[in-house]
Amino acid sequence: MDFFTEGSHTYYVYIITNNNRTVLYTGVTNYLQRRLWQHLCKFNPQSFSAKYNLHQLLYYEKYDWIQQAIEREKEIKDLTRTKKWELIRSVNPQLEFLNYLFEYIESRTAYLHLSGFAAVRILRSDKRCLE
């Protein structure tokens, strides 16, 4: 019998930007390392994050329950751009890219382990997506 226990799952609400910090994207995931790698490699080429080259992590929050994470994601998405920047600066005043906190093993083995993506997508121009 399965019992729900607090802390048995981890969910993240995150905000990413481009290298120039001109565009913001808010998302939710249960595996931030993998999700950042997917943004970097533009696994969905037609997505908003791919179109604007968004893959630099500026902000994240951690939750035990998906419902809380989704609720918070919606709250952040409803904030004005100014309020989003205030939120980011409240914990990251230098607007440092935080990806190094969630580095992903960028290998074919790790890539093939990701469910739902065709292996042909390994062939990306970014070397961090190819190894």
Side-chain angles (χ1 to χ4, degrees):
M1 179 180 290
D2 290 338
F3 294 99
F4 292 104
T5 58
E6 190 168 1
S8 62
H9 298 284
T10 302
Y11 301 94
Y12 297 90
V13 176
Y14 63 95
I15 300 175
I16 56 174
T17 190
N18 56 11
N19 289 334
N20 295 324
R21 298 175 181 87
T22 55
V23 181
L24 297 174
Y25 171 84
T26 303
V28 65
T29 185
N30 67 336
Y31 195 163
L32 190 53
Q33 289 173 305
R34 176 180 62 199
R35 191 69 185 111
L36 291 172
W37 194 60
Q38 290 169 346
H39 285 301
L40 173 69
C41 296
K42 299 180 182 180
F43 281 1
N44 182 357
Q46 285 75 43
S47 69
F48 181 84
S49 63
K51 181 178 178 181
Y52 293 99
N53 296 310
L54 308 177
H55 65 271
Q56 299 290 6
L57 181 66
L58 287 177
Y59 179 87
Y60 69 94
E61 297 177 5
K62 192 173 172 181
Y63 293 90
D64 294 325
W65 300 99
I66 187 61
Q67 295 87 349
Q68 292 172 322
I70 291 170
E71 183 178 325
R72 182 61 173 148
E73 178 197 26
K74 289 177 183 178
E75 288 174 2
I76 292 173
K77 284 185 174 187
D78 285 342
L79 293 175
T80 64
R81 182 175 176 80
T82 302
K83 292 290 185 187
K84 288 177 188 175
W85 281 113
E86 287 175 11
L87 176 64
I88 294 165
R89 284 192 173 100
S90 72
V91 296
N92 186 0
Q94 302 301 317
L95 301 179
E96 176 184 1
F97 296 146
L98 305 175
N99 299 58
Y100 69 91
L101 298 173
F102 297 93
E103 288 185 358
Y104 192 74
I105 300 168
E106 296 150 356
S107 68
R108 287 180 185 260
T109 304
Y111 176 83
L112 293 171
H113 180 69
L114 300 177
S115 61
F117 295 101
V120 71
R121 295 207 182 184
I122 291 172
L123 304 175
R124 289 275 179 229
S125 60
D126 191 315
K127 291 179 183 176
R128 293 171 291 184
C129 298
L130 289 173
E131 296 177 2

